[in-house]
């Protein structure tokens, strides 16, 4: 009976510790994005990541891998387009008063029970005077680094556009 209680307690502890709680999204807004129609995203470089596993038994060794890639600017672009922004390939003098500039940065990693989370920060500036309109920071945790970044960007953008990111 004691062994059963020990096993149940061990399983319960493992389940509780493996449920990672992501930090809350932080969002600081100096002004509204109302009136802005165009967006310029500072280019980012792509990232490829993979995860996999190998196992074996009496009949052989088996395994699989999953590779994923992401370019943070592409994820940000999609969310902005979905929320009514027109993306422009370069800053235009005529449109500066209605254009935002979006910059992306990875701001840290946090070790958790069985892995880590990646934290990102997005900063949105007015193209007209380079004033910071808003800043948002979020964490993401998935099966690969690409998933971590995609989740973090989506969580960060949800703070800017509540209810319109999915």
């Amino acid at each position: 009976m004691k062994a059963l209680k020990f096993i149940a307690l061990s399983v319960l502890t493992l389940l509780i510790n493996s449920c990672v709680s992501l930090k809350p999204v932080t969002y600081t807004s100096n002004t509204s994005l109302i009136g802005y129609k165009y967006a310029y995203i500072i280019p980012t470089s792509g990232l490829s990541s993979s995860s996999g596993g190998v196992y074996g038994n009496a009949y052989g060794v088996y395994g699989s891998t999953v590779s994923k890639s992401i370019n943070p600017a592409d994820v940000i672009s999609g969310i902005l387009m979905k929320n009514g922004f027109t993306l422009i390939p370069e800053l235009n003098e005529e449109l500066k008063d209605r254009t935002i500039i979006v910059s992306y940065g990875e701001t840290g990693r946090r070790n958790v029970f069985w892995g880590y989370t990646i934290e990102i920060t997005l900063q949105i500036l007015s193209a007209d005077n380079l004033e910071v309109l808003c800043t948002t920071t979020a964490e993401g945790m998935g099966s690969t680094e690409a998933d971590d970044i995609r989740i973090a960007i989506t969580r960060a953008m949800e703070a800017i556009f509540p209810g319109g990111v999915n």
Side-chain angles (χ1 to χ4, degrees):
M1 191 64 163
K2 284 186 179 186
L4 185 59
K5 286 182 182 179
F6 177 75
I7 291 171
L9 184 61
S10 297
V11 168
L12 182 63
T13 302
L14 182 64
L15 286 174
I16 289 172
N17 285 331
S18 64
C19 297
V20 175
S21 175
L22 297 175
K23 289 181 184 176
V25 175
T26 60
Y27 175 67
T28 305
S29 176
N30 296 331
T31 188
S32 172
L33 295 181
I34 294 175
Y36 292 96
K37 182 179 177 185
Y38 303 97
Y40 172 75
I41 301 170
I42 295 175
T44 60
S45 59
L47 166 80
S48 293
S49 60
S50 61
S51 66
V54 176
Y55 62 93
N57 60 23
Y59 302 106
V61 177
Y62 306 95
S64 66
T65 61
V66 175
S67 295
K68 296 182 181 180
S69 62
I70 186 171
N71 186 330
D74 292 343
V75 178
I76 296 166
S77 298
I79 294 170
L80 287 173
M81 286 188 288
K82 186 174 181 180
N83 284 283
F85 282 87
T86 301
L87 299 179
I88 56 176
E90 58 186 33
L91 291 173
N92 183 334
E93 277 299 319
E94 297 169 3
L95 304 175
K96 270 191 171 180
D97 60 332
R98 294 177 290 156
T99 302
I100 60 171
I101 300 171
V102 182
S103 56
Y104 161 89
E106 289 183 29
T107 49
R109 291 177 186 247
R110 183 171 61 101
N111 290 325
V112 292
F113 187 66
W114 280 5
Y116 58 89
T117 65
I118 293 179
E119 180 184 79
I120 62 100
T121 298
L122 299 175
Q123 185 179 61
I124 298 180
L125 308 170
S126 168
D128 198 24
N129 56 12
L130 299 180
E131 171 191 356
V132 176
L133 301 175
C134 65
T135 303
T136 181
T137 301
E139 283 187 326
M141 183 176 183
S143 60
T144 65
E145 284 186 5
D147 289 338
D148 296 350
I149 291 169
R150 186 181 328 284
I151 292 165
I153 290 171
T154 302
R155 291 183 71 226
M157 295 297 277
E158 283 173 346
I160 299 170
F161 304 107
V165 170
N166 298 344

